Amino acid sequence: MNKRDFLKGLILFFPAGGVLGALAGELDAKETAPAQTGTAGAAPKPGPKAYDPKAHYYGMGIEIDKCIGCNRCVEACKAENDVPREPFFFRTWIERYVIKKDGDVVVESISVKSKASKETAQEDSDVLRTFFVPKLCNHCVHPPCVQVCPVGATFATEDGVVLIDSKRCIGCRYCIQACPYGARYLDPRTKTADKCSFCYHRVRQGLLPACVEVCPTQARIFGDLKSKASRLVRFARMNKIHVLKPSLNTEPKVYYAQLDGEVR
Amino acid sequence: MSAEMTEGLSELLEQITGFIYPNEIEIHWSILIVVYPYITGLVAGAFILASLVKVFNVKDVQPTYRLALLTALAFLLVAPLPLLLHLGRPELFYEILLTPNVTSAMAMFGFVYAWYLMGVLLLEVWFEYRRDLIVMAGRERGLMRWIHRALSLFSTDTSEAALAFDRKAIRAITIVGIPSAFLLHGYVGFIFGSVKANPWWSSVLMPIVFLMSAIVSGIALVIFLYMMLAAIRKEPVDMRCLDTVTSYLFYAVIVDFSLEALDFIHRLYESEESVKILGKLITHKLFMSLFVLQILIGMFIPLGILVVAKWRKLNEDGRKLLYFTAVILIQLGIFSTRWNVVIGGQLFSKSFRGLMAYKMEVMGIEGFLAAIVLLALPFVILAVLIRVLPTKRLVDEAPGPA
Amino acid sequence: MRIPEQVKRLAVVVAVIIAGVLVTRFYAIPRSLVSTDLHRSSTVQRELAKPVKFAGSEICQGCHEAEGIKKNRSFHRNLSCEGCHGPATQHTEDPMAVKPPAPRDRKFCPVCHAYDASRPTGFPQINPTVHNPLKPCIACHNPHDPTPPQTPRACSACHAQIERTKAVSSHALLVCTTCHTVSEQHKKAPRTALPSKPQTREFCAKCHGKDSPQKDPPKIDVTTHGTPYLCWQCHYPHLPEGRG
């Protein structure tokens, strides 16, 4: 290795990679080209009136007192979004908190069955209170994952959903390190980062996210923060709202009612 | 998804203590990401040692100047490899150059690296070796003659005016190079220090601690290589040089230790929400690598050895032996430092309620063997570099090596 | 000033590199590869193209009107059809070929209704091992309107835990209605029509007062013992000998 060879190598190497990538990219670009102009606003294809992302801003409310820990949401999420079935990858999951009278707090994720976890909490006379907490990507207003992604593969849409471009994610996992909520995982099949998308494909069709759809007690409330008539805005108005780890200033858009101070 | 992976994760699941978020079972930044800051640290440290000669005119250190430069170059060439191998999709690495995300510290890697390699290190090496390349090309024939001619960019001017310009250029590059070396490794520290979600990493001192430990490890490595090279060539070691460099090493270790102690005391004193789990982390998971390897074996014992060597007025062989032992222990200590930061930072849950386990692969692209290969590779590159670029300035009549 | 020879040579190399990088970046690489906007819009497109597997409750009512009406008047009014029957988009596309499953065994209902201390109070829960063992849930409960035709075994059907506690206490022989007045409405809407609780100290004194004609119960002087509290503020009536 010498300087000249190295420089020459560099000159050839980077563009060569670029050109190869470009060829691959162009093929994709051609396939999706009409669709792209569709979102850009030109909307050549007929359909319902054009969707304006700026007019919406999505969030979710969670009412702790309603969650029965039935895990239907977790299963529905895995089915809807093709999440690996192994119990290590979750776009959403449920935690059980048991607060003892002496101040001890025992937490477990009931969505993962380990040898240690019990089927149900035992009635224990030293339990002060116990409850379930659903967790998912908070779709933060200031998402640390978006900030750190070196290639800009994860981004927040104008309607407030944090998405991942799985074609450009290089699998560096900096976003997984940066997420304070443990909401991200590396999909073992694609080796790219993945997480909750608020079921963006459903929401844009006017459907609810799968977890909200199947929740039997309506512990989850999905809605548009920009619509003052939405259930979410009403929920936020009627309840005392908390978010997770507010001190990190990520400004989560998953709002919890009746959240215990022990939850983090 | 392979059954092997499921099995591995299930095994890890059983080793968890307390509560972790279910996605946290997998430790994402493996041994390769330990190797990466270790190697870049060696680059920055070796370069800063080299700069002592040119900017601060420390004449005693002159014998290690070229070796330090070549060491920096050899390790810098390997530095991106652990990052590349660690990517889930290494074939897409060019995305980082096509659409770098301006808010991402990591996206700056390509630019910081390219600047340091091409704007600083290669330039300095070129100006330093230009005259020798011309002289060597004049004496040789065949392949080596062409290699040396090409490396000098077919330049032929060895007039005093041209050589004076080389010297000025080197000095200018070094002056730019020191902040660049600080940038290169301080930046690596920033990648960790800026992760606010992780209290073990998130610290404004992180870049500075990284930098000081880089200087420690870089100086120690050059001392090691200098002594090895002298032994291989059966040449005498310049003891004045060695004494001076080891005293720099001594002071660097003191500063590094003070910074790390400051960081530790600061965390303890502020005692934030995370203090409990971090306490468990260092007593349960990092006891060996932090207290024993990093602090005792990697810092206190070498410091003691250096003190003994300096003030006991030992003879040359005794000093050499002690210095050699100290630099090896220091390397071990700095590697543990990197381990404790990178792996340690991933062994506790961001819920602050539990600890995870890391099981290092042996084979595989992110395994122990890959790390060993990556750590050995710079030495191979260095051996080749030394064959092409002599570590001693050519005297006009002396025959060139190789 | 004369430019040194080596600088000229170096300048050529540097110029070639810079030119190479600039040409590659701004000419050789197509815009589709470097445009963040295009990347994002194509990501959104890919996201939108993902198949919907849960069709949503509204579409079900189109064909299954009767079930819908029945369900929407019952305690299960908030349940989504697919919460029990699973993702059904394929069924909506080809109703004859794809049939969503209907869970019928005893394992399914306890997913929600098995007793679990972490579940909110008031949510109907049973102990699956003692609640009509081995009988399929649907033998008594219609999942689309789960309120059973008559409340079996009266109060203990829902308040099994209280029943079990009371059964081992010295109040075992008292029936619930000794102390509680329960309206018929309570069986249909437990939270809206609550049973009464004794509101006076004299109520307990009927048995425990020192003037009571009953022989067995422990006696106290209601005028002095623990005034001014109601008895059940200190004693748990379902297990009065338990610690306070």
Side-chain angles (χ1 to χ4, degrees), chain C residues 126-148:
Chain C
I126 52 114
N127 181 345
T129 46
V130 298
H131 182 94
N132 298 327
L134 301 177
K135 252 186 173 175
C137 307
I138 52 172
C140 305
H141 304 274
N142 179 342
H144 295 136
D145 181 7
T147 314

Side-chain angles (χ1 to χ4, degrees), chain A residues 1-4 6-7 10 13-14 17-18 21 84 86-91 93 95 97 105 107-109 112-116 135 142 144 146-152 166-174 176-186 188-192 245 248-250 262-264, chain B residues 1 5-7 9-10 13-14 18-29 77 86-90 92-101 103-107 113 117-118 122-123 126 147 150-151 153-154 190-192 194-198 201 273 345-346 350-353 366 381 384-385 388:
Chain A
M1 181 67 109
N2 61 50
K3 179 184 169 164
R4 191 186 163 88
F6 181 75
L7 295 181
L10 205 71
F13 188 53
F14 286 137
E86 288 79 6
F88 311 109
F89 311 96
F90 293 94
R91 289 183 169 208
W93 67 94
E95 295 168 5
Y97 276 71
V105 183
V107 191
E108 64 170 338
S109 165
V112 183
K113 292 273 174 272
S114 73
K115 277 180 194 161
K135 293 270 185 86
H142 307 300
V146 169
Q147 183 188 25
V148 302
C149 175
V151 299
S166 56
K167 285 204 166 174
R168 287 196 314 128
C169 173
I170 56 175
C172 74
R173 295 168 253 186
Y174 201 13
I176 301 178
Q177 305 288 3
C179 174
Y181 307 105
R184 287 176 166 249
Y185 59 89
L186 193 80
R189 299 160 302 191
T190 59
K191 298 282 180 195
T192 57
K245 303 193 182 185
L248 294 177
N249 197 32
T250 52
E262 287 290 349
V263 179
R264 55 191 177 210
Chain B
M1 176 170 168
M5 183 179 183
T6 318
E7 204 178 296
L9 288 174
S10 309
L13 187 63
E14 301 306 322
F19 167 70
I20 68 164
Y21 297 136
N23 288 331
E24 285 181 322
I25 293 166
E26 210 177 340
I27 301 291
H28 285 285
W29 283 358
L77 292 177
H86 158 266
L87 292 183
R89 305 283 299 273
L92 292 182
F93 83 97
Y94 61 84
E95 292 283 0
I96 207 167
L97 302 167
L98 290 183
T99 51
N101 175 14
T103 62
S104 167
M106 198 182 270
Y113 180 82
L117 178 67
M118 300 204 275
L122 283 176
L123 270 188
W126 191 72
I147 290 177
L151 283 176
L153 300 180
F154 303 98
F190 188 81
I191 284 190
F192 293 96
S194 61
V195 178
K196 66 180 171 185
N198 188 320
W201 290 345
E273 194 185 9
Q346 301 175 78
K350 288 183 190 125
S351 67
F352 304 158
R353 292 189 186 280
E366 284 195 52
I381 295 177
V384 175
L385 281 178
V388 180

Side-chain angles (χ1 to χ4, degrees), chain A residues 207-226:
Chain A
L207 294 167
L208 290 168
C211 57
V212 179
E213 173 69 32
V214 301
C215 178
T217 59
Q218 304 207 325
R220 295 176 184 246
I221 293 125
F222 184 80
D224 182 353
L225 293 163
K226 281 194 178 161

Side-chain angles (χ1 to χ4, degrees), chain A residues 81-176:
Chain A
N81 294 297
D82 193 24
V83 178
R85 287 312 175 99
E86 288 79 6
F88 311 109
F89 311 96
F90 293 94
R91 289 183 169 208
T92 182
W93 67 94
I94 310 287
E95 295 168 5
R96 179 209 299 279
Y97 276 71
V98 179
I99 300 175
K100 304 276 180 68
K101 282 179 181 158
D102 60 8
D104 267 10
V105 183
V106 180
V107 191
E108 64 170 338
S109 165
I110 59 159
S111 310
V112 183
K113 292 273 174 272
S114 73
K115 277 180 194 161
S117 65
K118 294 164 285 190
E119 276 301 308
T120 56
Q122 300 304 305
E123 181 72 1
D124 218 341
S125 57
D126 60 346
V127 171
L128 187 64
R129 60 185 305 237
T130 162
F131 50 89
F132 295 107
V133 182
K135 293 270 185 86
L136 68 159
C137 168
N138 284 278
H139 295 273
C140 308
V141 177
H142 307 300
C145 53
V146 169
Q147 183 188 25
V148 302
C149 175
V151 299
T154 184
F155 61 95
T157 59
E158 283 175 319
D159 40 8
V161 178
V162 177
L163 294 179
I164 298 167
D165 183 347
S166 56
K167 285 204 166 174
R168 287 196 314 128
C169 173
I170 56 175
C172 74
R173 295 168 253 186
Y174 201 13
C175 57
I176 301 178

